[in-house]
């Protein structure tokens, strides 16, 4: 670092550095969501395929929270680390993301989630066989589909499911707006860690109905993958429930951003410019 | 941010910004307590209505702690994020909150808590039906009232309940005073997170008698709501226990603030002004 | 704060501020250890008296860790927040605490621990009766003495107990030295939180033999109190085991400090003065 | 500190300070890995030898995470705190560690791990006897070998084991690269804590197949020690599985570093020099 010759990683950088922001950000969102879903589904599988022995719900809550934190750290200086179409669309309505970028983000996030599901399936394939044998089922004692995406219990109506996802994703975006608000004054380097802890919190309060997908890519991407394993029932199950965790999170995310600003954000005293200058040492990132 | 045109959230701010501090702070306390109780009761319900399966006590402790942390982050730059009449009254005795503001805070916090209880009831209504059927009971195997507010076990006397709440809320305020003391020197942006961890700690030590309500609004607001579901027994239960978590926390909160300053705070060496200057980069907030 | 008239807490300060450092620090060590043991034993009781239902070991680990963190925060600017004779004696051997102060610290810490035990007994007296009835026993299914101080199982020899306490307290002081080392460069305001996390870590690795007392005051103070409840067996039990958690922690603490400096601390490159200047904005505290 | 005479630890430093970087760093890596494995195996033993009662998986995850964090804090200003041959080799391929140093690190890390295993065996020897009596077995209800190093279940193929270790160690290094990247801008004093949380996260997602050794020294060092207790089966077990957690982590570690830079790191906008200057207040360390 203090040496005269240049480090290998800097040499690589000079050779492959992508100068186009959209390409760079799309790659980052793709890879970040891939990592998020790969790790997150492996957490779920460690819970389900071990007969709820090697993980319990606290590890699911904490593990997903840390996974969010670290995946957002990875992408925070390129794309901003949305890793979630609901987040991207909410940020778009806040005027901080062009419509075209937003659309591309949503697509690559879903592709990344699909591939993430494939990899977590591969790494725990032996365990799946050991746990469920030839059974590939959505409900029942040897059901494993729930480790990929959400399947509501029979006693939960689709109306409740819809509001559950509106509220769950709403909580996420409400507190993400709090953390990102320059006037609240949280240093930028702490944001991804706090985003993760928000998800941990949501897991302790909004996990009972659906297991808090709160991310259209995280639910739909793996669901496409499960099509090849469990058949078309993954889409028809529970009166075509599958579209709820795709659309409801977007509703909740957009509403929550504006609710935060309506009730609290718009009324915080102080000049913004001043706050930005104060904080500028920490980050040159746009969100 | 560096662009010439103004962001939508700033446009909204210019249109609706509330300039009167009391109105702004009351709105903030109302909404913050609403969020706190909504999330917190959902945590309790996820514990009780899943038969203690989807949450265990560690998640209740950690979930409530994180909920406090993030709700205080949301309100810290407007009202200061008390979200608790006992905190507001203690801060009033410290001379940092006018009596009129304090009274208004207490009222809006309780209203917020009432509405929070309503929303958590709605989101887990299907689960309540599934768990308890038509039973709406305070004690027994299918009791669910405990997810809204505190109901002591028969073997705990009301005298113990009273001291439990004095001590529990006292611990909260003692350490809140530690964290807020400029001479201790904890950066302001870490305060809400540490407040949350204080609550997590209290949950591990003062949770057995009553489940640590330690907040008159958090207990009384939902209790009013349960009146419509479980009937007047929620107030008459255990020899009119209900007034204890309303008054005892105030006693404990005020006493603890002054105990901190008597035993430790007043004796910390160093000039305050100096400390404030040192810290001023972080916050323009009054507490 | 910005007002012309002075705050009540500052008025109190002017009236009662203790100028003598030793008196001030002794008061701080007394009160801090009182709080630590009061909260800590309440954590243990919530575990034992609820039949291991309301707390599990993770809460004991996390709860004790947070308790250490917040009690050290409270005392860090007065006495430094040792709250443990083994820590005080180790700091004495490092030349940072006069012998007289060290002796007084040890005494007041033990008195504080005694009173802490009394208060936690009072707050959970109803629960103790409910759990154990008239039984006041050290071993057996309704044993409760273990919530006050350590009692090894029959299959653990006193030799193992001795080394367990040497190692457990050694781990504490080794990492406390790491965190406090100016050359490591951790900001002062993070030290108490990290001290707490060290204790959480020790609870996960050195908890099986004795439950990690690692603090002579924390073990001996409550043991004196249990004398009145369980009789002299609390001292004679397990071949007069009681002296081991009094003396072994001191051995481990002193050894560990010097082992850290021998193996690592003394070899860190860089000039100390420079590091101190860099860090001086954060703290004026002597440790 | 402000006194005229010099502190004992500074006197020691003047007498024994090692000026040769390689000697100093090798000592640091040796001692840090010794501590890591000593504490880590004690965590495992507290789990296994208590019949999975005093620790559960969440404590294993959190305990190992904190252990990594504090052991890296201890060594971060001397050797950098690799404590893992896979990390050292990956850092070597990044051009930040000479080949000779890397080779020496790997050897002393393994020796440290061997001695760490010996010490944790000693501290829990009574408990081992109590739990397993004369049985010294790798599988079965009284198996204890798994507390030292990894032994896959029969239904997990060695191919899966290989990829599990590639991926597990890959996750570690991927996020270590994220945290260390100057352009991400995380303050240096937070790095060791985040490294620990990465390991906690890995434990929640990659723990089911092998229990996440992800460190050749941590697995091989204790395995040599178990040779004396359980006999040569520790090497022949599961078709000579032992070499997998030695080599696979290196593959994963090196690949992950470059994958991070290929997909994300190389594309982060901004000049590095600028970032370094900005951060230089925090650390003078080479990584």
């Amino acid at each position: 670092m203090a040496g005269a010759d240049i480090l290998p990683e800097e040499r690589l950088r000079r050779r492959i550095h992508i100068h186009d922001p959209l390409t760079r950000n799309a790659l980052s969102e793709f890879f970040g969501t891939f990592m998020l879903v790969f790790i997150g589904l492996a957490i779920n599988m460690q819970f389900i395929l071990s007969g709820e022995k090697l993980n319990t719900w606290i590890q699911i809550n904490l593990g997903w929270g840390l996974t969010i934190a670290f995946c957002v750290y990875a992408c925070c200086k390129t794309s901003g680390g949305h890793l979630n179409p609901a987040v991207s669309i909410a940020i778009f309505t806040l005027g901080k993301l062009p419509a075209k970028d937003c659309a591309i983000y949503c697509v690559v996030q879903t592709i990344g989630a699909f591939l993430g599901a494939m990899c977590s399936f591969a790494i725990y394939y032996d365990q799946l066989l050991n746990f469920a044998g030839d059974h590939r089922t959505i409900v029942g004692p040897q059901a494993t589909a729930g480790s990929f995406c959400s399947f509501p219990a029979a006693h939960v109506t689709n109306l409740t499911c819809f509001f559950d996802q509106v509220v769950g994703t709403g909580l996420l975006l409400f507190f993400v707006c709090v953390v990102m608000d320059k006037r609240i004054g949280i240093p930028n380097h702490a944001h991804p860690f706090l985003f993760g802890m928000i998800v941990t919190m949501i897991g302790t309060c909004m996990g009972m109905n659906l297991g808090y997908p709160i991310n259209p890519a995280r639910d739909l991407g793996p669901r496409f993958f499960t099509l090849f394993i469990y058949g078309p029932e993954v889409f028809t199950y529970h009166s075509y429930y599958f579209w709820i965790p795709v659309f409801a999170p977007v509703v909740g995310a957009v509403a929550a951003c504006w609710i935060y600003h309506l009730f609290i954000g718009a009324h915080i005293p102080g000049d913004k410019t001043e706050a930005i200058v104060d904080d500028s040492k920490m980050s040159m990132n746009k969100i």
Side-chain angles (χ1 to χ4, degrees), chain A residues 141-187:
Chain A
Q142 286 180 304
T144 50
S147 60
F148 289 98
C149 51
S150 58
F151 295 98
H155 66 267
V156 181
T157 67
N158 273 345
L159 187 70
T160 296
C161 291
F162 187 88
F163 281 110
D164 179 273
Q165 284 306 288
V166 168
V167 167
T169 320
L171 290 178
L172 176 64
L173 266 289
F174 184 88
F175 290 113
V176 163
C177 285
V178 169
V179 170
M180 292 197 325
D181 193 330
K182 299 281 181 201
R183 289 188 181 86
I184 299 286
I186 302 172

Coordinates of all heavy atoms in Angstrom, one line a residue, chain A residues 141-187:
Chain A
P141 N -45.3 -32.9 7.0 CA -44.2 -33.0 7.9 C -42.8 -33.0 7.2 O -41.9 -32.6 7.8 CB -44.4 -34.4 8.6 CG -45.3 -35.1 7.8 CD -46.2 -34.1 7.1
Q142 N -42.8 -33.4 6.0 CA -41.5 -33.4 5.3 C -41.5 -32.3 4.2 O -40.7 -32.4 3.2 CB -41.2 -34.8 4.6 CG -40.8 -35.8 5.7 CD -40.6 -37.2 5.1 OE1 -41.4 -37.7 4.4 NE2 -39.4 -37.7 5.3
A143 N -42.3 -31.3 4.3 CA -42.4 -30.2 3.4 C -41.1 -29.5 3.4 O -40.5 -29.2 4.4 CB -43.5 -29.3 3.7
T144 N -40.6 -29.1 2.2 CA -39.3 -28.4 2.1 C -39.4 -27.1 1.3 O -38.5 -26.3 1.3 CB -38.2 -29.3 1.5 OG1 -38.7 -29.9 0.3 CG2 -37.8 -30.4 2.5
A145 N -40.5 -27.0 0.6 CA -40.7 -25.9 -0.4 C -40.6 -24.5 0.4 O -40.1 -23.5 -0.2 CB -42.0 -26.0 -1.1
G146 N -41.0 -24.5 1.7 CA -41.0 -23.3 2.4 C -39.6 -22.7 2.7 O -39.5 -21.6 3.1
S147 N -38.6 -23.5 2.4 CA -37.2 -23.0 2.6 C -36.8 -22.1 1.4 O -35.9 -21.3 1.5 CB -36.2 -24.1 2.7 OG -36.2 -24.9 1.6
F148 N -37.6 -22.2 0.3 CA -37.3 -21.3 -0.9 C -38.1 -20.0 -0.9 O -37.6 -19.0 -1.2 CB -37.6 -22.1 -2.2 CG -36.6 -23.2 -2.4 CD1 -36.9 -24.5 -2.1 CD2 -35.4 -22.9 -3.0 CE1 -36.0 -25.6 -2.3 CE2 -34.5 -24.0 -3.3 CZ -34.8 -25.3 -2.9
C149 N -39.4 -20.2 -0.7 CA -40.3 -19.0 -0.8 C -41.5 -19.2 0.1 O -41.6 -20.3 0.7 CB -40.7 -18.7 -2.2 SG -41.4 -20.1 -3.1
S150 N -42.3 -18.2 0.2 CA -43.4 -18.2 1.3 C -44.6 -19.0 0.8 O -45.1 -18.9 -0.3 CB -43.8 -16.8 1.7 OG -44.2 -16.1 0.5
F151 N -45.2 -19.8 1.7 CA -46.4 -20.5 1.5 C -47.3 -20.4 2.7 O -46.9 -21.0 3.8 CB -46.2 -22.0 1.2 CG -45.4 -22.2 -0.1 CD1 -44.1 -22.5 -0.1 CD2 -46.1 -22.2 -1.3 CE1 -43.4 -22.7 -1.3 CE2 -45.4 -22.4 -2.5 CZ -44.0 -22.6 -2.5
P152 N -48.3 -19.6 2.7 CA -49.1 -19.3 3.9 C -49.8 -20.6 4.4 O -50.2 -21.5 3.6 CB -50.1 -18.3 3.5 CG -50.2 -18.4 2.0 CD -48.9 -18.9 1.5
A153 N -50.0 -20.6 5.7 CA -50.8 -21.7 6.3 C -52.3 -21.6 5.8 O -52.7 -20.5 5.4 CB -50.8 -21.7 7.8
A154 N -53.0 -22.7 5.9 CA -54.4 -22.7 5.4 C -55.3 -21.6 6.1 O -56.2 -21.1 5.5 CB -55.0 -24.1 5.5
H155 N -55.0 -21.4 7.4 CA -55.9 -20.6 8.2 C -55.6 -19.1 8.0 O -56.3 -18.3 8.6 CB -55.9 -20.9 9.7 CG -54.5 -20.7 10.3 ND1 -53.6 -21.6 10.4 CD2 -54.0 -19.6 10.9 CE1 -52.5 -21.1 11.0 NE2 -52.8 -19.9 11.3
V156 N -54.7 -18.7 7.2 CA -54.4 -17.3 6.9 C -55.0 -16.9 5.6 O -54.6 -17.5 4.5 CB -52.9 -17.1 6.9 CG1 -52.6 -15.6 6.7 CG2 -52.3 -17.5 8.3
T157 N -55.9 -16.0 5.5 CA -56.5 -15.6 4.3 C -55.6 -14.8 3.4 O -54.6 -14.2 3.9 CB -57.8 -14.7 4.5 OG1 -57.3 -13.5 5.1 CG2 -58.7 -15.4 5.5
N158 N -55.8 -14.7 2.1 CA -55.0 -14.0 1.2 C -55.1 -12.5 1.5 O -54.2 -11.7 1.3 CB -55.3 -14.3 -0.2 CG -54.6 -15.5 -0.8 OD1 -53.6 -15.9 -0.1 ND2 -55.0 -16.0 -1.9
L159 N -56.2 -12.0 2.1 CA -56.4 -10.6 2.5 C -55.4 -10.3 3.6 O -54.6 -9.3 3.5 CB -57.8 -10.3 2.9 CG -58.1 -8.9 3.2 CD1 -58.1 -8.1 1.9 CD2 -59.4 -8.7 4.0
T160 N -55.3 -11.2 4.6 CA -54.3 -11.0 5.6 C -52.9 -11.0 5.1 O -52.1 -10.2 5.4 CB -54.5 -12.1 6.7 OG1 -55.8 -11.9 7.3 CG2 -53.4 -12.0 7.8
C161 N -52.7 -12.0 4.2 CA -51.3 -12.1 3.5 C -51.0 -10.7 2.9 O -49.8 -10.3 3.0 CB -51.3 -13.2 2.5 SG -51.5 -14.8 3.2
F162 N -51.9 -10.2 2.2 CA -51.6 -8.9 1.5 C -51.2 -7.8 2.5 O -50.2 -7.2 2.3 CB -52.9 -8.5 0.7 CG -52.6 -7.3 -0.2 CD1 -52.1 -7.5 -1.5 CD2 -52.8 -6.0 0.2 CE1 -51.9 -6.4 -2.3 CE2 -52.6 -4.9 -0.6 CZ -52.1 -5.1 -1.8
F163 N -52.0 -7.7 3.5 CA -51.7 -6.6 4.5 C -50.4 -6.9 5.2 O -49.7 -6.0 5.6 CB -52.9 -6.4 5.4 CG -54.0 -5.5 4.8 CD1 -55.2 -6.1 4.4 CD2 -53.7 -4.2 4.5 CE1 -56.2 -5.3 3.8 CE2 -54.7 -3.4 3.8 CZ -55.9 -4.0 3.5
D164 N -50.2 -8.2 5.5 CA -49.0 -8.6 6.2 C -47.8 -8.1 5.4 O -46.8 -7.6 5.9 CB -48.9 -10.1 6.3 CG -47.7 -10.6 7.0 OD1 -46.7 -10.8 6.3 OD2 -47.7 -10.8 8.2
Q165 N -47.8 -8.3 4.1 CA -46.7 -7.9 3.2 C -46.6 -6.4 3.1 O -45.5 -5.8 3.0 CB -46.7 -8.6 1.8 CG -46.3 -10.0 1.9 CD -45.0 -10.2 2.5 OE1 -43.9 -9.8 1.9 NE2 -44.9 -10.6 3.8
V166 N -47.8 -5.7 3.0 CA -47.7 -4.3 3.0 C -47.1 -3.7 4.3 O -46.2 -2.9 4.2 CB -49.2 -3.7 2.9 CG1 -49.2 -2.2 3.1 CG2 -49.7 -4.0 1.5
V167 N -47.5 -4.3 5.4 CA -47.0 -3.8 6.7 C -45.5 -4.2 6.9 O -44.7 -3.4 7.3 CB -47.8 -4.3 7.8 CG1 -47.1 -4.1 9.2 CG2 -49.2 -3.7 7.8
G168 N -45.2 -5.4 6.6 CA -43.8 -5.9 6.8 C -42.8 -5.0 5.9 O -41.8 -4.5 6.5
T169 N -43.1 -4.9 4.7 CA -42.2 -4.1 3.8 C -42.3 -2.6 4.2 O -41.3 -1.9 4.1 CB -42.6 -4.3 2.3 OG1 -42.9 -5.7 2.1 CG2 -41.4 -3.9 1.4
G170 N -43.5 -2.2 4.6 CA -43.6 -0.8 5.1 C -42.7 -0.5 6.3 O -42.0 0.5 6.3
L171 N -42.7 -1.5 7.2 CA -41.8 -1.3 8.4 C -40.3 -1.1 7.9 O -39.6 -0.3 8.4 CB -41.9 -2.4 9.4 CG -43.2 -2.6 10.1 CD1 -43.1 -3.8 11.0 CD2 -43.4 -1.3 11.0
L172 N -39.9 -2.0 7.0 CA -38.6 -1.9 6.4 C -38.3 -0.6 5.9 O -37.3 0.1 6.3 CB -38.4 -3.0 5.3 CG -37.1 -3.0 4.6 CD1 -35.9 -3.3 5.6 CD2 -37.1 -4.0 3.5
L173 N -39.1 -0.1 5.0 CA -38.8 1.2 4.3 C -39.0 2.4 5.2 O -38.3 3.4 5.1 CB -39.7 1.4 3.1 CG -39.1 0.9 1.8 CD1 -38.0 1.8 1.3 CD2 -38.6 -0.5 1.8
F174 N -39.9 2.3 6.2 CA -40.1 3.4 7.1 C -38.8 3.6 7.9 O -38.3 4.7 7.9 CB -41.2 3.0 8.1 CG -41.5 4.1 9.1 CD1 -42.4 5.1 8.8 CD2 -40.8 4.2 10.3 CE1 -42.7 6.1 9.8 CE2 -41.1 5.2 11.3 CZ -42.0 6.2 11.0
F175 N -38.2 2.5 8.4 CA -37.0 2.7 9.2 C -35.7 2.9 8.3 O -34.8 3.5 8.7 CB -36.8 1.5 10.2 CG -37.9 1.6 11.3 CD1 -38.8 0.6 11.3 CD2 -37.9 2.6 12.2 CE1 -39.8 0.6 12.4 CE2 -38.8 2.6 13.2 CZ -39.8 1.6 13.3
V176 N -35.8 2.4 7.1 CA -34.7 2.7 6.2 C -34.7 4.2 5.9 O -33.6 4.8 5.9 CB -34.8 1.9 4.9 CG1 -34.0 2.5 3.7 CG2 -34.5 0.4 5.1
C177 N -35.8 4.8 5.7 CA -35.9 6.2 5.5 C -35.4 7.0 6.8 O -34.7 8.0 6.6 CB -37.3 6.7 5.2 SG -37.8 6.3 3.6
V178 N -35.7 6.5 8.0 CA -35.2 7.1 9.2 C -33.7 7.1 9.2 O -33.0 8.1 9.4 CB -35.7 6.3 10.4 CG1 -35.0 6.8 11.7 CG2 -37.2 6.5 10.6
V179 N -33.1 5.9 8.9 CA -31.7 5.7 9.0 C -31.0 6.6 7.9 O -29.9 7.2 8.2 CB -31.3 4.2 8.8 CG1 -29.8 4.1 8.6 CG2 -31.8 3.4 10.0
M180 N -31.6 6.6 6.7 CA -30.9 7.4 5.6 C -31.1 8.9 5.7 O -30.4 9.7 5.0 CB -31.5 6.9 4.3 CG -31.1 5.5 3.9 SD -31.4 5.2 2.1 CE -32.8 6.2 1.7
D181 N -32.1 9.4 6.6 CA -32.3 10.8 6.6 C -31.1 11.6 7.2 O -30.7 11.3 8.3 CB -33.6 11.0 7.6 CG -34.1 12.4 7.4 OD1 -33.3 13.4 7.2 OD2 -35.3 12.6 7.6
K182 N -30.6 12.4 6.3 CA -29.4 13.2 6.7 C -29.6 13.9 8.0 O -28.7 14.2 8.8 CB -29.0 14.2 5.7 CG -28.6 13.6 4.3 CD -27.2 13.0 4.3 CE -26.9 12.4 3.0 NZ -25.8 11.5 3.1
R183 N -30.9 14.4 8.3 CA -31.1 15.2 9.5 C -31.1 14.3 10.7 O -31.0 14.9 11.8 CB -32.5 15.9 9.3 CG -32.4 17.0 8.3 CD -33.7 17.8 8.3 NE -33.7 18.9 7.3 CZ -34.0 18.7 6.0 NH1 -34.4 17.5 5.6 NH2 -33.9 19.7 5.2
I184 N -31.3 13.0 10.6 CA -31.2 12.2 11.8 C -29.7 12.0 12.2 O -29.4 12.0 13.4 CB -31.8 10.8 11.5 CG1 -33.3 10.9 11.2 CG2 -31.6 9.8 12.7 CD1 -34.2 11.2 12.3
G185 N -28.9 12.1 11.2 CA -27.4 12.2 11.5 C -26.7 10.9 11.9 O -25.7 10.9 12.6
I186 N -27.2 9.8 11.4 CA -26.4 8.5 11.6 C -25.3 8.4 10.6 O -25.5 8.6 9.4 CB -27.4 7.3 11.5 CG1 -28.6 7.4 12.5 CG2 -26.6 6.0 11.7 CD1 -29.6 6.4 12.3
P187 N -24.1 8.1 11.1 CA -23.0 8.1 10.1 C -23.2 7.0 9.0 O -23.8 5.9 9.3 CB -21.8 7.6 11.0 CG -22.1 7.9 12.4 CD -23.6 7.9 12.4

